[in-house]
Amino acid sequence: MLKVVIVGGVAGGATAAARLRRCDETAHIVLFERGPYVSFANCGLPYYVGEVIPRRDQLLLQTVDGLSHRFNLDIRNLSEVIAIDRHHQTVTVREVQSGRSYEESYDLLLLSPGAQPIVPPIPGLDEAKNVFTLRTIPDTDAIKGFVDQQLPKTAVVVGGGFIGLEMAENLLRRGIQVTLVEQMNQVMTPIDYEMATLVHKHLREKGVRLVLEDGVQAFAKKGRQVILRSGTVLENDMVLLSIGVRPENTLAIQAGLAVGKRGGIVVDDYLRTSDEHIYAIGDAIEVKDFVTGLPTQMPLAGPANRQARLVADTIAGKKKRYSGTLGTAIVQVFDLTVATTGANEKTLRNLGWPYAVVHTHPASHATYYPGAQSMALKLLFHPETGALYGAQGVGREGVDKRIDVLATAIRAGLKVFDLQDLELTYAPPYSSAKDPVNMLGYVASNVVEGTVQTIQWCDIDEVVAHGGLLIDVRESEEVARGSIPGSVNIPLGDLRQRLGELSTEPQPVYVTCQVGLRGYLATRILEAAGFHAMNVDGGYTTYSSVHDKIQIH
Ligand code: FAD
């Protein structure tokens, strides 16, 4: 009988155990979990603190007894695996409560120990009693207990990633004034800067004090003061440290397994480590980026669950490959949905890959049907082949389904041209006959086919500063509400009659409008008249999300 020992009993470990049992009724499956609970809803923890999820037991998806009984598993919680002896194929287990240690043998070992919050040695941290991290149910109990009993009025959330943003929202929901400190110039680093600026604006509108490009230098007064590198002192009642996670690799390193540059356990396509008897999955492993093919860390629940199923199949004799992680992710930030898939522009630029970008601002559904909300979408692709690299979306409604469709398209190897052909659900309450994904396909195909040339929001100021002509083709009332500095207003309807005014202008002539559509039409008119024209991608909406030096008439 095959004996499989699993380390870690939450997303990856519990899923693998259950799948393995479904594939192999006879295997002896032993699952060790250091904490008191298995298979809990770690993604729901911030919402329990915020009381959106009202009851603690709603987080406990399975009990040890329930899971053991249903899948005939030997589950040992409060049991930490502290060493692996690869030579004898045993693990050493320490019972957390009694401190007793013993050895357990294995035929195959599966590691799914996850990732732990990064806690740097910040001066004053040891004396602080009000600094929390969030990973487990006990962490959540500590935070919720503090909020319920100490009634903090102010909190500092350090780190603007997924957990930081969710906690900022949920602490504010509990009536706490929140300051969010992020050392980068943006929150949510998987999306690009101009998309993140929409999130910044929304956070501030909701009352979060956002401090960017500053980090924590020290804690003082037992954590009641957070001292930032800039010298700013933040008085506060509690602090949440959410500056990222690092793979739990202590066991793997101790056992001499290969780990990557960022500490993730190295696995092959079958999720096997450098030891043929040991597999690893989840946040602890280094994955292959599906788009770039490079090794990376992507601590997300979907990939952990997928890897768990595949590895169980492989262990049960049906060898299955893991094809890499796209990094499809989503977060709610108050009324906004922020979602991403594939490679972002920062990554492509750093790699030196050729890429093109389009920004669109479509409505979530037909604008004549009540409740339509505009969203910002960004698509990245190869400028000649149209191969899809990545997509990002920020908006109040409909962002999730567009990014999900695009994630599916990337995985299927579709190109920008294929997005035009996708037949997606449409009725006025849900979408438009040309869905925002189709529209991205149209706009991006125009770019690849050379029907339109575009310039990005970050480059237009320099062009204008060097004497380039920028025509704003919106109506004068729209221009009065703000425009790109140095632009000249010629409404689209007047353009054909006023072409003569442009004959002595330097080429190319640049065009902008509200979201890029009228600008595109203008470039067609200009090109037909013999001008070389370029459209500001995403129009004034993308530009103004980033620039505050807006020209108001
Ligand atoms: P985990 O689920 O963390 O399980 C690892 C387990 O191993 C832990 O319980 C740990 O106690 C145990 N363990 C570690 N070492 C040992 C040892 N030596 N012996 C015994 N047991 C050990 N992802 C999303 O995609 N979407 C979200 O919305 C989302 N929200 C999140 C919110 C929070 C607050 C957190 C903390 C994470 C969130 N994640 C989210 C990430 C997601 O939960 C992880 O990607 C996923 O749980 C990884 O699964 P895993 O099995 O690798 O690790």
Side-chain angles (χ1 to χ4, degrees):
M1 185 202 303
L2 181 72
K3 181 171 178 188
V4 181
V5 166
I6 300 177
V7 180
V10 189
T15 305
R19 173 70 179 171
L20 182 56
R21 171 58 69 231
R22 291 195 292 272
C23 297
D24 183 344
E25 186 55 26
T26 60
H28 180 195
I29 305 170
V30 187
L31 187 149
F32 291 108
E33 167 53 53
R34 180 173 56 199
Y37 304 103
V38 290
S39 194
F40 63 87
N42 31 18
C43 306
L45 303 180
Y47 297 98
Y48 173 63
V49 174
E51 296 186 334
V52 177
I53 297 172
R55 292 193 334 268
R56 187 176 180 278
D57 62 353
Q58 291 173 293
L59 300 169
L60 306 173
L61 305 175
Q62 288 279 0
T63 61
V64 171
D65 283 350
L67 199 64
S68 308
H69 185 68
R70 174 173 290 188
F71 294 103
N72 185 22
L73 303 172
D74 180 354
I75 300 181
R76 305 184 205 167
N77 60 334
L78 295 166
S79 301
E80 182 174 17
V81 174
I82 53 172
I84 302 169
D85 181 340
R86 287 166 54 191
H87 184 63
H88 295 100
Q89 292 190 205
T90 58
V91 291
T92 308
V93 183
R94 188 180 65 88
E95 290 177 349
V96 173
Q97 284 166 318
S98 67
R100 185 180 79 93
S101 292
Y102 62 93
E103 295 199 343
E104 189 74 39
S105 66
Y106 63 83
D107 297 321
L108 291 175
L109 179 64
L110 171 60
L111 303 176
S112 188
Q116 59 190 190
I118 296 172
V119 182
I122 303 170
L125 182 59
D126 289 346
E127 295 79 51
K129 296 284 171 273
N130 60 346
V131 180
F132 300 92
T133 56
L134 179 60
R135 179 185 181 189
T136 62
I137 298 267
D139 294 342
T140 315
D141 290 339
I143 296 173
K144 183 139 190 314
F146 190 89
V147 172
D148 292 346
Q149 285 144 34
Q150 307 293 322
L151 306 176
K153 291 192 170 52
T154 52
V156 174
V157 173
V158 186
F162 296 89
I163 294 176
L165 288 170
E166 288 179 350
M167 282 304 291
E169 176 176 341
N170 280 290
L171 290 174
L172 201 121
R173 198 172 263 139
R174 296 295 307 273
I176 300 169
Q177 219 187 320
V178 177
T179 303
L180 180 64
V181 178
E182 166 57 58
Q183 67 172 2
M184 308 290 284
N185 64 352
Q186 66 164 96
V187 299
M188 274 285 289
T189 48
I191 63 171
D192 290 312
Y193 177 70
E194 77 279 16
M195 303 297 281
T197 56
L198 302 169
V199 185
H200 300 165
K201 186 164 176 267
H202 190 64
L203 284 167
R204 289 180 172 129
E205 281 167 2
K206 288 291 174 182
V208 173
R209 182 178 169 203
L210 182 60
V211 179
L212 296 170
E213 296 182 80
D214 210 346
V216 177
Q217 176 147 316
F219 294 105
K221 296 196 176 164
K222 297 190 172 163
R224 302 301 286 253
Q225 284 187 338
V226 176
I227 301 163
L228 302 183
R229 282 188 208 122
S230 61
T232 305
V233 177
L234 302 172
E235 305 284 343
N236 72 90
D237 297 327
M238 70 179 286
V239 179
L240 181 89
L241 266 189
S242 51
I243 57 175
V245 294
R246 62 170 203 82
E248 282 245 14
N249 58 13
T250 323
L251 267 181
I253 291 174
Q254 168 270 328
L257 301 177
V259 298
K261 268 196 208 141
R262 291 167 64 188
I265 302 169
V266 174
V267 292
D268 66 11
D269 287 354
Y270 298 99
L271 302 160
R272 197 192 314 242
T273 67
S274 49
D275 180 319
E276 62 171 336
H277 298 110
I278 306 179
Y279 292 83
I281 56 173
D283 290 0
I285 67 166
E286 185 180 84
V287 291
K288 184 174 73 180
D289 183 310
F290 185 83
V291 174
T292 67
L294 297 171
T296 187
Q297 297 294 137
M298 296 211 193
L300 291 164
N305 276 273
R306 182 67 189 129
Q307 292 154 14
R309 189 176 169 94
L310 291 172
V311 84
D313 284 0
T314 296
I315 289 172
K318 293 179 274 178
K319 274 187 111 183
K320 297 266 175 73
R321 266 174 203 274
Y322 183 63
S323 57
T325 303
L326 254 181
T328 307
I330 191 163
V331 65
Q332 174 183 289
V333 183
F334 297 95
D335 304 336
L336 286 185
T337 300
V338 184
T340 178
T341 186
N344 61 30
E345 190 169 357
K346 287 171 285 211
T347 304
L348 295 169
R349 196 186 307 126
N350 288 341
L351 289 173
W353 280 25
Y355 67 87
V357 181
V358 295
H359 295 84
T360 60
H361 300 275
S364 52
H365 60 253
T367 47
Y368 58 81
Y369 185 89
Q373 305 273 357
S374 100
M375 69 181 96
L377 294 176
K378 175 173 182 174
L379 188 71
L380 294 138
F381 50 96
H382 190 286
E384 281 148 27
T385 67
L388 294 171
Y389 289 154
Q392 299 161 32
V394 179
R396 287 168 192 260
E397 246 188 57
V399 168
D400 49 350
K401 75 168 170 170
R402 273 65 193 218
I403 296 300
D404 279 344
V405 170
L406 291 163
T408 310
I410 297 175
R411 196 158 269 277
L414 302 189
K415 300 193 169 175
V416 294
F417 316 108
D418 302 307
L419 299 182
Q420 307 174 101
D421 292 329
L422 295 181
E423 277 185 55
L424 302 170
T425 51
Y426 163 61
Y430 301 103
S431 183
S432 299
K434 286 179 282 200
D435 186 87
V437 174
N438 299 135
M439 288 304 295
L440 278 174
Y442 294 145
V443 177
S445 298
N446 279 340
V447 170
V448 174
E449 288 165 354
T451 313
V452 65
Q453 279 189 287
T454 57
I455 180 165
Q456 289 301 313
W457 59 271
C458 46
D459 298 325
I460 190 64
D461 280 344
E462 200 181 330
V463 165
V464 174
H466 287 87
L469 173 67
L470 174 63
I471 305 171
D472 190 328
V473 297
R474 293 175 299 166
E475 299 303 313
S476 55
E477 313 83 75
E478 294 172 276
V479 174
R481 290 194 286 272
S483 65
I484 301 177
S487 57
V488 174
N489 183 213
I490 304 181
L492 183 64
D494 300 346
L495 187 61
R496 286 189 179 87
Q497 292 73 47
R498 294 178 60 180
L499 287 172
E501 295 172 29
L502 311 175
S503 55
T504 56
E505 292 293 339
Q507 302 286 312
V509 170
Y510 298 88
V511 187
T512 187
C513 63
Q514 192 63 29
V515 294
L517 176 60
R518 280 173 287 172
Y520 163 56
L521 302 179
T523 62
R524 300 306 300 154
I525 293 170
L526 287 162
E527 292 277 335
F531 294 93
H532 177 197
M534 290 178 81
N535 190 21
V536 177
D537 179 46
Y540 183 66
T541 306
T542 297
Y543 178 91
S544 62
S545 67
V546 178
H547 293 80
D548 44 19
K549 47 180 177 155
I550 302 163
Q551 176 174 299
I552 306 280
H553 299 263

